[in-house]
Amino acid sequence: MESPKKYSFSRRNFLKTSALASGGIMIGFNLLSACKPNVTPSVDVENLNFNDFNAFIKISKEGYVTIFSPNPEIGQGVKTSMPMIIAEELDVEWNKVHVAQGKYNNKEYQRQVAGGSQSIRFGWDALRQTGATTKQMLINAAAIKWNVDAATCSASKGVITNAKGETLGYGDVVNEAALLEVPENVTLKKPSEYTIIGKSATNVDLDKIVTGKPLFGLDYVAEGMQYVSVLRPPAFGQTLASFDDTEAKKVNGVSQVIKFGDKVAVLASNTWAAMKGKKAIKATWVSNEKLESTDDHDKMLTKILNSNKSEVRREDGNVKKAFSKADKVIERTYHSPFLPHNCLEPMNFYANVTAEKVHLVGPIQTPQWTVGNVAQLLKRKPEEIELEMTRMGGGFGRRLYGDFAMEAAEVSLLSNKPVKVVFSREDDMTDGIYRPAIKYRIAASIKDNKITGYHLKEAAINGNMYGLIPNFFPAGCIPNYKVSTGNYQSNITTGAWRAPYTNFLAFAEQSFFDELADEIGKDAVQLRIDLLQNVKNTEDKNIEYSGKRMEDTIKLAAEKGGWGKAKEGVYQGFSAYYSHNTHVAELAEVVIKNDLPVVTKVVAAVDCGIVVNPTGAKNQVEGGVLDGIGHAMYGDLTFKDGKPSNKNFDTYRLIRMNETPKVEVHFVENELSPTGLGEPGLPPAGGAVANAIHKALGNRMYKQPFIAELKKEENIVG
């Protein structure tokens, strides 16, 4: 009989093997590790001698290239796609490229932000210019060596060739090239010449992700570092009156307890001790502000919708007149709840405040803004602060706000120690910055079977809409068009949540247009196409979207999804939306099981311009669609006396693996500059599913989450 084999498990295996402790069986070997236990790179790029060309590029004498990705990596793939853009114009083989995360540097890099799906869009020209400029410097150096005109030389795949057919590798001229003046004018490639852009590339961090190598903020460790768990007010509107830390200091591993503001920090040698110490603190809280509940929010938002006091964001024609002359006016109200961000990696940040400098390390979407806030907090100069960005285990807008970095900096200052603040899942969900609860009331007038007027009114907690949204679809499509907003100021912290503003608005508007299509007896897809004819040749410079591009995207989704050709028992819903400079149309298919809808398939058509990395792009769209479906179907966070109703995933409902539909993605092919992709796939999803549910059950969805509404005896209508 063979002796039992021994296995070692990385933290990435933990979720699959933890059941062993209770006598269960292990079902999840890491097959990659098992098959290739000793895989190492063919070249150790860390030990090569590199010459710096600029903040983006280093080239070694062996011809290997390190490209620094300047923007924060939040899972949107920019750490892969941004270097691909540089490598394309540099004309180097992708397998000779090593990618590293750039540090925060506001002098060398522009817009080091992960937000708004704008990284590739804003970086497109600059990154290409960077690669092309470096290539020209290498060509110029080779020309000097050969004593020929640089114009007679060319470069491809890291090799420079002259008119005689002689060749030099980039590594052969790297030392000389690094000393040359930077050329002012370089020629960029045509899209037809691309060999890297448009070809799928594996995520550059994939090996580290699947094998558990240090990569994320939670992985970061420094000598002498203390872990910090912070006790914060349990309800929005409360402040700290007093606390007793006697029991907390008895916890093995706890080294210090510090009060700062209305918070208490527990420092310990490990996260378990820090969190255990925090739970042992006996605190007294007082209420200086109203402790709000969801019922309060619902009443206030309804009051705003019913009032005549709102800010007009855009007004075309005369909506009031159009309504008065209409054959029919349709009005509906849509409701959405607060939502937490639920990043897989909870908030965390490292700080070491010394007299010489402030060293910050962690997952952050806004490094420059964070550096500025920390400098102001500590009364230090921004140039004294060094910030290193780690990969983020999700962000969705939550890591735009560096409150956790501020906490780390302040605790480090007060304790005179290097510290890392770590949120528990409960901290993450109850001390969050949430998507605000919102209500939309939409009214439209119909005259002679045509839509003649449209009024969108928003009521949001702490305000939501901004200047661009009123210029999105259907602006320009309807002659009498009005958008107005109002808000209720709450002490519950709110902020950006994936696809801000549009994540719920798209559902409301796209559901409403389906209802209008039914009212006038027109196919839902055709209604959208007909409306777009009014904006295709508009001279209105404020209109953000392209009527032509949106129409093409709609037609592609309808064609690929087989609109109107569903099998018996399958119900289709359609939605199209423009956000983050990208046009997306989605067709959802739903079946009914146990009297409830199940989403089985979504076909998405996307016009995001040139697709840099097809695999990464597809992943972004798929993730956005699933996120949109999951939160529309299940997501809900309510408040009672200032406290969130859910503290962890045992009560907060997320979409589950067996509930995820097949997502089929098609890109509109063109040679236009890239636009956003991390967020635009999400907004149309809710509307497509809601419209499919109506086809299946006859129910119109006016409130999220859908499943909770469908389970009620009576749905809220209009």
Side-chain angles (χ1 to χ4, degrees), residues 426-444:
E426 289 81 4
D427 293 336
D428 227 26
M429 198 170 287
T430 60
D431 297 300
I433 295 176
Y434 309 98
R435 184 190 82 170
I438 308 167
K439 289 182 186 291
Y440 286 113
R441 181 166 292 164
I442 311 177

Side-chain angles (χ1 to χ4, degrees), residues 22-211:
S22 59
I25 61 171
M26 183 182 66
I27 59 172
F29 296 110
N30 185 331
L31 295 178
L32 291 177
S33 294
C35 296
K36 301 179 180 179
N38 299 310
V39 172
T40 57
S42 56
V43 175
D44 184 2
V45 293
E46 302 291 343
N47 293 326
L48 297 180
N49 291 318
F50 285 85
N51 275 346
D52 295 1
F53 274 83
N54 49 52
F56 292 90
I57 300 172
K58 289 183 177 183
I59 301 178
S60 75
K61 293 178 69 175
E62 294 80 8
Y64 284 85
V65 180
T66 292
I67 298 179
F68 291 92
S69 182
N71 282 30
E73 174 55 64
I74 197 172
Q76 81 280 43
V78 295
K79 193 175 176 182
T80 303
S81 54
M82 294 182 94
M84 286 176 70
I85 297 170
I86 295 174
E88 180 66 72
E89 294 290 351
L90 181 59
D91 241 320
V92 63
E93 291 183 287
W94 183 245
N95 61 9
K96 286 195 173 183
V97 172
H98 170 67
V99 176
Q101 177 66 60
K103 293 183 180 180
Y104 164 67
N105 186 332
N106 68 338
K107 294 180 181 179
E108 300 288 349
Y109 303 127
Q110 296 181 351
R111 199 187 181 275
Q112 280 188 279
V113 176
S117 297
Q118 299 298 296
S119 294
I120 296 297
R121 178 171 174 257
F122 277 103
W124 176 245
D125 291 329
L127 295 171
R128 287 189 299 153
Q129 191 83 17
T130 295
T133 299
T134 304
K135 180 176 74 172
Q136 190 59 55
M137 291 171 68
L138 292 160
I139 291 174
N140 291 347
I144 292 171
K145 265 195 172 186
W146 286 320
N147 194 25
V148 299
D149 185 351
T152 65
C153 303
S154 62
S156 177
K157 296 183 178 180
V159 177
I160 305 158
T161 305
N162 64 20
K164 296 179 181 180
E166 297 172 320
T167 61
L168 287 170
Y170 284 179
D172 297 326
V173 295
V174 64
N175 292 336
E176 295 85 349
L179 301 175
L180 296 180
E181 291 185 8
V182 177
E184 293 185 5
N185 298 308
V186 295
T187 302
L188 301 178
K189 287 184 177 183
K190 299 175 183 177
S192 59
E193 299 172 319
Y194 291 159
T195 59
I196 295 176
I197 292 174
K199 304 294 189 296
S200 290
T202 302
N203 187 309
V204 295
D205 283 334
L206 184 62
D207 177 68
K208 289 184 177 180
I209 292 171
V210 300
T211 59

Side-chain angles (χ1 to χ4, degrees), residues 149-300:
D149 185 351
T152 65
C153 303
S154 62
S156 177
K157 296 183 178 180
V159 177
I160 305 158
T161 305
N162 64 20
K164 296 179 181 180
E166 297 172 320
T167 61
L168 287 170
Y170 284 179
D172 297 326
V173 295
V174 64
N175 292 336
E176 295 85 349
L179 301 175
L180 296 180
E181 291 185 8
V182 177
E184 293 185 5
N185 298 308
V186 295
T187 302
L188 301 178
K189 287 184 177 183
K190 299 175 183 177
S192 59
E193 299 172 319
Y194 291 159
T195 59
I196 295 176
I197 292 174
K199 304 294 189 296
S200 290
T202 302
N203 187 309
V204 295
D205 283 334
L206 184 62
D207 177 68
K208 289 184 177 180
I209 292 171
V210 300
T211 59
K213 293 183 176 72
L215 182 65
F216 298 89
L218 282 175
D219 296 326
Y220 187 81
V221 178
E223 185 176 354
M225 183 184 83
Q226 292 284 288
Y227 293 86
V228 177
S229 187
V230 177
L231 178 67
R232 304 173 184 86
F236 290 91
Q238 288 187 330
T239 56
L240 180 65
S242 62
F243 71 98
D244 181 354
D245 61 3
T246 304
E247 295 302 314
K249 289 180 177 178
K250 293 179 182 178
V251 174
N252 186 33
V254 170
S255 60
Q256 200 171 357
V257 178
I258 298 174
K259 177 184 180 298
F260 64 114
D262 284 309
K263 306 172 185 177
V264 181
V266 177
L267 285 70
S269 57
N270 57 76
T271 53
W272 177 254
M275 291 177 181
K276 188 176 180 180
K278 181 184 72 173
K279 291 180 179 179
I281 291 175
K282 298 175 182 177
T284 302
W285 308 93
V286 294
S287 302
N288 296 324
E289 302 177 55
K290 175 178 172 56
L291 300 181
E292 301 172 7
S293 299
T294 293
D295 288 345
D296 301 322
H297 300 146
D298 189 67
K299 291 175 183 176
M300 291 305 301

Side-chain angles (χ1 to χ4, degrees), residues 4 12 56 119 189 227 237 307 340-341 384 404 418 449 608 652 687-688:
R12 302 295 177 191
F56 292 90
S119 294
K189 287 184 177 183
Y227 293 86
S307 74
H341 291 83
E384 294 178 51
F404 40 90
N449 232 30
C608 59
Y652 185 83

Side-chain angles (χ1 to χ4, degrees), residues 233-531:
F236 290 91
Q238 288 187 330
T239 56
L240 180 65
S242 62
F243 71 98
D244 181 354
D245 61 3
T246 304
E247 295 302 314
K249 289 180 177 178
K250 293 179 182 178
V251 174
N252 186 33
V254 170
S255 60
Q256 200 171 357
V257 178
I258 298 174
K259 177 184 180 298
F260 64 114
D262 284 309
K263 306 172 185 177
V264 181
V266 177
L267 285 70
S269 57
N270 57 76
T271 53
W272 177 254
M275 291 177 181
K276 188 176 180 180
K278 181 184 72 173
K279 291 180 179 179
I281 291 175
K282 298 175 182 177
T284 302
W285 308 93
V286 294
S287 302
N288 296 324
E289 302 177 55
K290 175 178 172 56
L291 300 181
E292 301 172 7
S293 299
T294 293
D295 288 345
D296 301 322
H297 300 146
D298 189 67
K299 291 175 183 176
M300 291 305 301
L301 294 181
T302 300
K303 183 178 180 181
I304 291 169
L305 289 180
N306 291 336
S307 74
N308 293 319
K309 295 179 180 180
S310 60
E311 182 178 352
V312 176
R313 301 285 185 166
R314 179 177 174 129
E315 187 169 14
D316 303 337
N318 190 325
V319 171
K320 186 176 181 181
K321 185 177 180 180
F323 281 18
S324 68
K325 292 189 173 184
D327 297 329
K328 185 183 296 184
V329 175
I330 308 298
E331 182 180 278
R332 298 290 182 263
T333 301
Y334 299 85
H335 317 251
S336 72
F338 283 93
L339 288 180
H341 291 83
N342 293 324
C343 308
L344 183 61
E345 177 194 25
M347 300 304 106
N348 65 90
F349 224 78
Y350 168 87
N352 186 16
V353 179
T354 64
E356 293 76 27
K357 71 172 185 178
V358 178
H359 185 204
L360 304 175
V361 184
I364 188 72
Q365 292 179 243
T366 51
Q368 182 173 358
W369 191 55
T370 300
V371 165
N373 286 337
V374 170
Q376 186 175 11
L377 172 70
L378 302 180
K379 296 180 172 57
R380 302 285 288 264
K381 297 178 181 179
E383 51 267 30
E384 294 178 51
I385 299 175
E386 177 190 0
L387 189 150
E388 297 181 49
M389 294 176 285
T390 64
R391 188 181 180 95
M392 291 172 260
F396 315 116
R398 176 63 181 92
R399 287 187 162 99
L400 290 170
Y401 310 96
D403 49 296
F404 40 90
M406 299 276 283
E407 288 182 346
E410 189 168 2
V411 173
S412 177
L413 174 70
L414 295 173
S415 65
N416 198 31
K417 296 175 182 176
V419 303
K420 182 161 73 171
V421 168
V422 179
F423 280 45
S424 65
R425 179 59 61 192
E426 289 81 4
D427 293 336
D428 227 26
M429 198 170 287
T430 60
D431 297 300
I433 295 176
Y434 309 98
R435 184 190 82 170
I438 308 167
K439 289 182 186 291
Y440 286 113
R441 181 166 292 164
I442 311 177
S445 56
I446 298 174
K447 178 71 174 177
D448 298 330
N449 232 30
K450 294 182 179 179
I451 302 170
T452 58
Y454 187 91
H455 185 192
L456 168 67
K457 190 173 184 180
E458 176 194 80
I461 300 295
N462 297 332
N464 182 56
M465 191 174 288
Y466 73 129
L468 294 178
I469 302 299
N471 300 313
F472 287 4
F473 179 79
C477 293
I478 301 170
N480 304 291
Y481 174 79
K482 184 178 181 179
V483 177
S484 55
T485 63
N487 69 83
Y488 168 68
Q489 289 301 312
S490 168
N491 53 31
I492 295 173
T493 52
T494 60
W497 189 93
R498 190 174 187 178
Y501 319 107
T502 62
N503 50 58
F504 177 70
L505 175 59
F507 150 69
E509 288 195 307
Q510 290 297 303
S511 297
F512 187 69
F513 274 106
D514 247 50
E515 197 158 352
L516 290 179
D518 281 353
E519 287 289 338
I520 63 179
K522 183 172 285 192
D523 176 79
V525 170
Q526 191 61 49
L527 173 67
R528 291 165 172 82
I529 292 174
D530 290 348
L531 286 171

